[in-house]
């Protein structure tokens, strides 16, 4: 028999291929496990503070005139990724909403019932396992920059703090989003076999304040809030100025000189935020990370005006959500599935290859439907608001379907409490000073004094003005939704479920 070099080489390669095929391929094999880690995406979660979807160019209603506000970088992110048209926070308050984002548990289940800072002092249970902790255990490098506003640190632990923001601090890094992005560069360019998770949380466009000697915030309602804007601006931020006459006053707000003056300042803060997002994306591209990075943009709750923030009316809870996949197949896709912030952690854990059964979550992953058309089974969300400031006891539970929305005002006998920054806003103080009876589409009295149940037909009444809870024609709808809402409370171990029986 004659042996040629080519024949020997071919036989060797064939045999080697068979041996490789017989090697184990489960994650117990360290080499295979390393490959799986390599294929997992980096994750960047961008959380803005009080950014309502009406202040974003890419969320312009179909047929509406071009928006006044300029948000080219976030708009481009939406053009490159998927824009969710029906995304909702579960509580329109900063700390509780962030706790839901980072745990997949409603605030009534994770213990963060209200604000974390100063006298409010709410904190999640020590037994809660948060997103950054679970990702670290799965081999991710974790880092955060900007506003955290949840506690305790052991529950919401990140390996690196690139810049610690602070609450109601005029000097916080969270007010300078381009500088925030710059501080992330060294983290992004690190050479590592492990993927990373970056939590990028701005203070913009939250209202700004001065600070009293005891450290408490002061909001001056005698003039328009500056929303962090200041003479000279911020490093490498090109200022975008807006005229009050040019802003678009949303329906839930009064069209007054006071509200327009504040909206103009608010727009400027949003544009500053937009530049920070643009710079962060630029650095992801510059460091070669962009193509393997999942990017999520969202806000903790609605805009910092009465009628939105701390409310579970649509402006307070229906928010922007943009998801840019590492390799999008349908750039510019609009997904109308209804998802909530309780679904964010389960989705990110799914991308990281962490089995849902290994973590207690009340949301569910929407990874599989991000670019899917005509999805079914995503037609309702639940919301649970307990408190904002420690003095603002006003728990609300909500079932929001495609057409109907039910709000259960648990403490309806109390007047609706207003947050310090909203009560002392120039917009609200102008209402009080001029003794106006109407705020936006509602009377002031209806806004402050709410019934036990509010039921709205959102198709016929998108501004949620006409309460149908006592209308005989909608008795079956009310009963059906009450049953579902109570079941949700029971399934999520909501302490306030007892109020159905005892009050």
């Amino acid at each position: 028999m004659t042996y040629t070099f080519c024949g020997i080489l071919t036989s060797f390669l064939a045999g080697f291929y068979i041996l490789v095929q017989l090697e184990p391929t489960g994650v117990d094999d360290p080499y295979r496990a390393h490959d799986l880690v390599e294929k997992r995406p980096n994750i960047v979660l961008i959380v803005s503070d009080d950014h309502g979807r009406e202040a974003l160019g890419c969320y312009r209603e179909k047929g509406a005139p071009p928006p006044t506000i300029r948000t080219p970088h976030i708009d481009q992110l939406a053009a490159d990724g998927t824009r969710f048209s029906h995304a909702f926070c579960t509580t329109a308050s900063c700390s509780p909403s962030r706790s839901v984002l980072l745990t997949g548990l409603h605030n009534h289940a994770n213990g963060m019932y209200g604000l974390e800072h100063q006298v409010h002092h709410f904190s999640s249970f020590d037994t809660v396992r948060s997103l950054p902790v679970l990702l670290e255990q799965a081999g991710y490098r974790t880092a955060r920059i900007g506003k955290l506003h949840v506690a305790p640190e052991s529950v919401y632990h990140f390996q690196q703090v690139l810049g610690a923001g602070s609450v109601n601090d005029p000097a916080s890094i969270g007010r300078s989003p381009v500088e925030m992005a710059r501080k992330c560069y060294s983290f992004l360019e690190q050479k590592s076999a492990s993927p990373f998770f970056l939590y990028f949380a701005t203070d913009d466009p939250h209202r700004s304040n001065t600070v009293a000697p005891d450290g408490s915030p002061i909001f001056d309602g005698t003039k328009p809030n500056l929303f962090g804007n200041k003479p000279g601006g911020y490093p490498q931020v090109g200022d975008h100025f807006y005229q009050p006459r040019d802003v678009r006053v949303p329906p839930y707000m009064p069209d007054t000189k006071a509200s327009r003056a504040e909206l103009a300042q608010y727009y400027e803060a949003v544009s500053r935020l937009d530049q920070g997002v643009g710079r962060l994306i630029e650095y992801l591209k510059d460091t070669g990370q962009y193509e393997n990075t999942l990017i999520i943009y969202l806000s903790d709750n609605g805009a910092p005006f009465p009628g939105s923030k701390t409310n579970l009316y649509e402006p307070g809870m229906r928010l922007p959500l943009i998801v840019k996949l590492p390799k999008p197949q349908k750039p510019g896709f609009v997904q109308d599935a209804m998802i909530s912030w309780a679904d964010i952690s389960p989705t990110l854990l799914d991308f990281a290859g962490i089995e849902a059964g290994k973590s207690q979550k009340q949301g569910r992953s929407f990874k599989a439907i991000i670019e899917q058309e005509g999805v079914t089974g995503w037609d309702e969300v639940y919301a649970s608001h307990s408190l904002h400031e420690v003095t603002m006891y006003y728990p609300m539970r909500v079932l929001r379907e495609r057409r109907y929305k039910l709000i259960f005002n648990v403490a309806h006998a109390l007047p609706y409490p207003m947050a310090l920054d909203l009560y002392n806003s120039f917009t609200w103080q102008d209402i009080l000073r001029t003794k106006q009876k109407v705020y936006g589409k509602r009377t002031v009295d209806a806004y402050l004094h709410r019934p036990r149940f509010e039921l709205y037909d959102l198709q016929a009444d998108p501004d949620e003005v006409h309460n149908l809870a006592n209308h005989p024609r909608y008795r079956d709808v009310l009963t059906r939704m009450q049953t579902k809402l109570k079941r949700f409370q029971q399934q999520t171990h909501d302490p306030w479920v007892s109020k159905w029986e005892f009050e």
Side-chain angles (χ1 to χ4, degrees):
M1 182 177 290
T2 310
Y3 296 95
T4 65
F5 174 76
C6 289
I8 294 172
L9 180 60
T10 302
S11 299
F12 171 77
L13 290 175
F16 179 75
Y17 176 77
I18 293 170
L19 286 172
V20 169
Q21 292 297 95
L22 292 174
E23 285 296 308
T25 57
V27 292
D28 290 337
D29 179 357
Y31 298 101
R32 177 60 176 160
H34 184 268
D35 284 346
L36 288 176
V37 170
E38 285 286 340
K39 292 177 181 177
R40 295 185 299 176
N42 304 313
I43 299 171
V44 174
L45 177 56
I46 305 170
V47 180
S48 58
D49 199 341
D50 298 356
H51 188 191
R53 60 180 250 151
E54 66 275 7
L56 250 179
C58 60
Y59 275 93
R60 175 174 56 132
E61 295 295 332
K62 191 173 183 179
T68 303
I69 195 164
R70 295 183 289 276
T71 53
H73 299 101
I74 300 175
D75 294 349
Q76 186 60 52
L77 186 66
D80 293 340
T82 296
R83 176 172 62 85
F84 282 75
S85 60
H86 289 77
F88 302 84
C89 68
T90 64
T91 173
S93 173
C94 183
S95 296
S97 185
R98 291 161 193 260
S99 75
V100 177
L101 279 171
L102 292 173
T103 66
L105 300 171
H106 287 275
N107 77 89
H108 65 249
N110 73 51
M112 185 68 70
Y113 305 121
L115 297 179
E116 174 267 342
H117 67 286
Q118 294 182 328
V119 298
H120 315 294
H121 202 58
F122 288 101
S123 180
S124 288
F125 301 124
D126 292 338
T127 54
V128 170
R129 301 177 70 202
S130 73
L131 176 66
V133 170
L134 291 169
L135 288 175
E136 179 183 348
Q137 291 174 353
Y140 271 72
R141 296 183 293 121
T142 65
R144 66 174 174 89
I145 188 167
K147 189 173 185 178
L148 183 62
H149 210 191
V150 287
E153 194 280 335
S154 59
V155 167
Y156 297 98
H157 175 71
F158 287 79
Q159 293 169 306
Q160 296 185 54
V161 179
L162 306 177
S166 53
V167 181
N168 296 325
D169 180 2
S172 171
I173 184 71
R175 282 295 183 193
S176 188
V178 170
E179 188 178 359
M180 284 176 64
R182 290 174 58 195
K183 284 182 174 289
C184 295
Y185 194 91
S186 60
F187 178 76
L188 299 177
E189 70 172 349
Q190 288 178 25
K191 303 301 180 185
S192 173
S194 301
F196 64 75
F197 170 50
L198 174 63
Y199 183 70
F200 188 93
T202 69
D203 279 19
D204 287 329
H206 192 285
R207 287 178 178 270
S208 53
N209 58 275
T210 56
V211 181
D214 66 355
S216 60
I218 298 173
F219 296 93
D220 184 357
T222 64
K223 56 186 177 182
N225 192 277
L226 295 180
F227 294 87
N229 308 322
K230 64 180 182 180
Y234 293 85
Q236 299 189 33
V237 173
D239 291 327
H240 291 281
F241 300 110
Y242 298 90
Q243 295 299 320
R245 66 176 178 270
D246 295 329
V247 303
R248 300 274 168 76
V249 181
Y252 71 88
M253 290 179 62
D255 191 347
T256 61
K257 289 183 178 180
S259 68
R260 285 182 170 272
E262 291 214 296
L263 282 168
Q265 296 290 336
Y266 175 68
Y267 278 19
E268 185 177 339
V270 171
S271 287
R272 179 171 61 250
L273 155 71
D274 179 74
Q275 292 178 68
V277 172
R279 185 62 62 88
L280 180 63
I281 292 172
E282 176 187 328
Y283 289 160
L284 284 166
K285 292 178 178 178
D286 187 57
T287 56
Q289 304 285 12
Y290 184 76
E291 294 299 327
N292 190 41
T293 299
L294 172 70
I295 304 173
I296 303 95
Y297 177 85
L298 51 77
S299 175
D300 58 351
N301 48 249
F305 292 92
S308 179
K309 180 179 177 179
T310 74
N311 285 273
L312 290 179
Y313 295 127
E314 292 292 281
M317 66 179 289
R318 188 176 177 185
L319 301 175
L321 172 64
I322 298 166
V323 178
K324 201 286 295 179
L325 294 171
K327 292 179 175 59
Q329 301 301 307
K330 297 179 180 179
F333 185 67
V334 178
Q335 176 56 266
D336 72 348
M338 297 179 67
I339 70 101
S340 83
W341 287 183
D343 300 321
I344 298 296
S345 273
T347 301
L348 300 188
L349 292 173
D350 194 2
F351 272 100
I354 300 173
E355 295 179 14
K358 293 184 178 180
S359 59
Q360 290 293 325
K361 305 299 175 193
Q362 293 171 343
R364 55 177 174 156
S365 172
F366 55 84
K367 176 188 173 186
I369 66 161
I370 291 173
E371 294 184 319
Q372 182 180 331
E373 299 195 32
V375 298
T376 58
W378 294 83
D379 298 307
E380 64 183 28
V381 294
Y382 293 88
S384 169
H385 179 96
S386 300
L387 298 94
H388 182 63
E389 297 164 11
V390 69
T391 55
M392 291 176 60
Y393 177 77
Y394 204 81
M396 297 173 278
R397 302 296 184 261
V398 172
L399 167 57
R400 206 284 196 185
E401 300 176 340
R402 292 282 177 188
R403 179 172 179 177
Y404 295 107
K405 180 174 180 180
L406 175 66
I407 304 175
F408 175 21
N409 295 310
V410 178
H412 61 98
L414 298 173
Y416 173 76
M418 295 199 50
L420 178 67
D421 60 332
L422 303 185
Y423 182 82
N424 286 333
S425 67
F426 191 49
T427 298
W428 185 256
Q429 287 300 309
D430 179 66
I431 294 291
L432 300 181
R433 180 180 57 82
T434 57
K435 296 182 170 55
Q436 295 182 52
K437 301 296 185 183
V438 176
Y439 180 87
K441 299 285 187 178
R442 293 182 181 83
T443 66
V444 172
D445 184 68
Y447 181 70
L448 296 176
H449 301 94
R450 307 180 183 186
R452 190 180 192 208
F453 293 106
E454 297 177 71
L455 176 65
Y456 298 108
D457 181 344
L458 297 174
Q459 289 182 7
D461 180 25
D463 297 315
E464 301 165 286
V465 176
H466 304 292
N467 184 12
L468 305 174
N470 294 321
H471 197 299
R473 180 179 170 186
Y474 295 91
R475 186 175 296 126
D476 290 345
V477 175
L478 177 66
T479 301
R480 175 182 61 79
M481 296 184 74
Q482 286 174 328
T483 300
K484 291 173 67 175
L485 185 57
K486 185 176 181 180
R487 185 184 306 122
F488 155 77
Q489 291 186 261
Q490 292 168 335
Q491 292 174 343
T492 58
H493 308 290
D494 184 354
W496 278 269
V497 71
S498 64
K499 298 298 183 177
W500 288 88
E501 310 298 334
F502 300 124
E503 289 186 13

